[in-house]
Amino acid sequence: MATSATTRPARTGTTRRPRDDTRLALLFILPALIGFLVFLVWPTLRGIYLSFTKFNLLTPAEFNGLDNYVRMVQDPVFWNAMRVTVYYVVVNIGIQTVVALAIAVMMQRLTRRTWLRGIVLTPYLVSNVVAAMVFLWILDYQLGIGNKVLEAIGVGKIAFLSDSAWVIPTVALINVWRHVGYTALLIFAGLQTIPATLYEAGRMDGAGEVRMFRSITVPLLRPIIALVLIITVVGSFQVFDTVAIATEGGPVDSSRVLQYYIYDVAFGRFQFGYASAMSVALLVVLVVITFVQYRLTRAESTDLS
């Protein structure tokens, strides 16, 4: 009986090493790295340096130590701008987060149609300047269609953008209208990571929608909500376009947020050293707030196992 021999490949004695793609990866990263260094790192370092100088574009920067920071601490307009900004952030984040969470849950629980997500995201595609100009016309005290409607139903006209009590909530609602769709889609993406089996188990145990929302949805969404809060808080502290177009800081500085005050000092009064000092102070505030939010919300962990 004949047997067939099994042919085995000959060993060459050498092992082929995996290809090193480090250089190729660096080549792809290089354009983004250059942009990051040129448009973020360098302006930040330059701004920190200018915050210790007296600089007005017409003369070379003159080092003046901590004079700009001393002036900032003693400047009542700066503290008013900070107070107005914090008020805006609280109103904007409070409304936006609640509305975005409600929209995301409804899209998850009621319908998942793609066209509906597109409609929700549509206001985000409108620029801040255009949104501010449109609402400036809609909410005009004399000719605005919004006040015409209020007058027709017997409520009476409201000076949305020229009354100190109304101006910041109005600016906040304008920005909520524009950004809530994007925030809702971020939360909606987080909802997709929650297994449907958890909701099925909840229904079998007799839990209603409210109970499942409180006991399943919210705890498992904590990392996503933490991310959304960090993004929206940082963005809200930098509000500028809507204020610049709709109110220009008025009436009587009641909407003069910190970013608008920095812009006015830098490009209206050409005091770039002092404006840089306030920018550095804003940077420090945002870093501290982000760190505190990250730790309090335990954004690095999740209850989903």
Side-chain angles (χ1 to χ4, degrees):
M1 181 176 180
T3 59
S4 59
T6 303
T7 304
R8 295 183 180 180
R11 296 183 180 179
T12 59
T14 59
T15 303
R16 186 177 179 181
R17 295 181 179 180
R19 181 179 177 181
D20 187 2
D21 293 330
T22 303
R23 292 183 179 180
L24 182 61
L26 292 176
L27 182 63
F28 280 106
I29 294 173
L30 187 60
L33 180 61
I34 293 175
F36 177 75
L37 294 175
V38 172
F39 297 108
L40 185 62
V41 175
W42 168 246
T44 301
L45 297 178
R46 175 71 172 171
I48 293 174
Y49 163 72
L50 290 178
S51 69
F52 297 100
T53 66
K54 182 179 181 181
F55 181 51
N56 60 7
L57 282 183
L58 302 178
T59 58
E62 178 184 347
F63 185 79
N64 63 358
L66 297 176
D67 289 355
N68 290 325
Y69 291 96
V70 173
R71 175 185 172 185
M72 180 180 65
V73 173
Q74 299 174 349
D75 185 1
V77 181
F78 167 80
W79 290 110
N80 177 75
M82 182 64 76
R83 179 186 61 80
V84 171
T85 303
V86 171
Y87 176 38
Y88 165 81
V89 170
V90 171
V91 175
N92 181 52
I93 298 304
I95 298 176
Q96 184 177 162
T97 304
V98 172
V99 174
L101 182 59
I103 293 175
V105 171
M106 285 190 293
M107 287 195 299
Q108 167 75 5
R109 308 297 288 161
L110 301 180
T111 179
R112 300 187 184 184
R113 296 184 181 274
T114 304
W115 63 267
L116 181 60
R117 302 177 207 172
I119 292 176
V120 170
L121 191 61
T122 299
Y124 187 72
L125 304 179
V126 180
S127 71
N128 281 329
V129 173
V130 173
M133 293 182 66
V134 169
F135 277 97
L136 180 62
W137 173 75
I138 292 175
L139 301 177
D140 182 83
Y141 186 76
Q142 297 296 336
L143 304 175
I145 188 174
N147 271 311
K148 293 296 184 182
V149 172
L150 291 178
E151 196 174 22
I153 63 178
V155 175
K157 294 182 178 180
I158 299 176
F160 289 101
L161 296 172
S162 56
D163 188 320
S164 299
W166 281 97
V167 63
I168 285 298
T170 302
V171 172
L173 287 174
I174 293 173
N175 286 322
V176 165
W177 172 83
R178 182 179 179 272
H179 293 93
V180 71
Y182 176 73
T183 306
L185 285 183
L186 290 178
I187 298 175
F188 178 78
L191 289 172
Q192 307 306 301
T193 64
I194 302 178
T197 54
L198 296 179
Y199 293 105
E200 295 173 1
R203 292 191 192 95
M204 293 180 63
D205 290 339
E209 292 292 334
V210 175
R211 177 61 185 274
M212 288 192 293
F213 174 78
R214 187 175 66 251
S215 302
I216 298 176
T217 304
V218 172
L220 297 182
L221 268 184
R222 190 185 64 250
I224 301 299
I225 293 178
L227 172 64
V228 167
L229 285 176
I230 290 173
I231 293 174
T232 52
V233 167
V234 171
S236 297
F237 264 97
Q238 300 178 69
V239 59
F240 171 77
D241 306 36
T242 310
V243 172
I245 297 298
T247 68
E248 296 183 351
V252 197
D253 290 345
S254 57
S255 66
R256 184 183 291 271
V257 293
L258 189 54
Q259 280 280 49
Y260 187 79
Y261 184 45
I262 292 173
Y263 169 82
D264 181 46
V265 170
F267 298 99
R269 311 177 195 179
F270 297 101
Q271 299 174 7
F272 289 93
Y274 183 42
S276 297
M278 290 190 289
S279 299
V280 172
L282 178 59
L283 174 63
V284 172
V285 169
L286 292 179
V287 169
V288 172
I289 290 176
T290 300
F291 177 78
V292 171
Q293 281 185 294
Y294 188 84
R295 298 301 298 175
L296 289 180
T297 57
R298 294 181 295 138
E300 74 282 358
S301 63
T302 176
D303 293 334
L304 187 60
S305 58

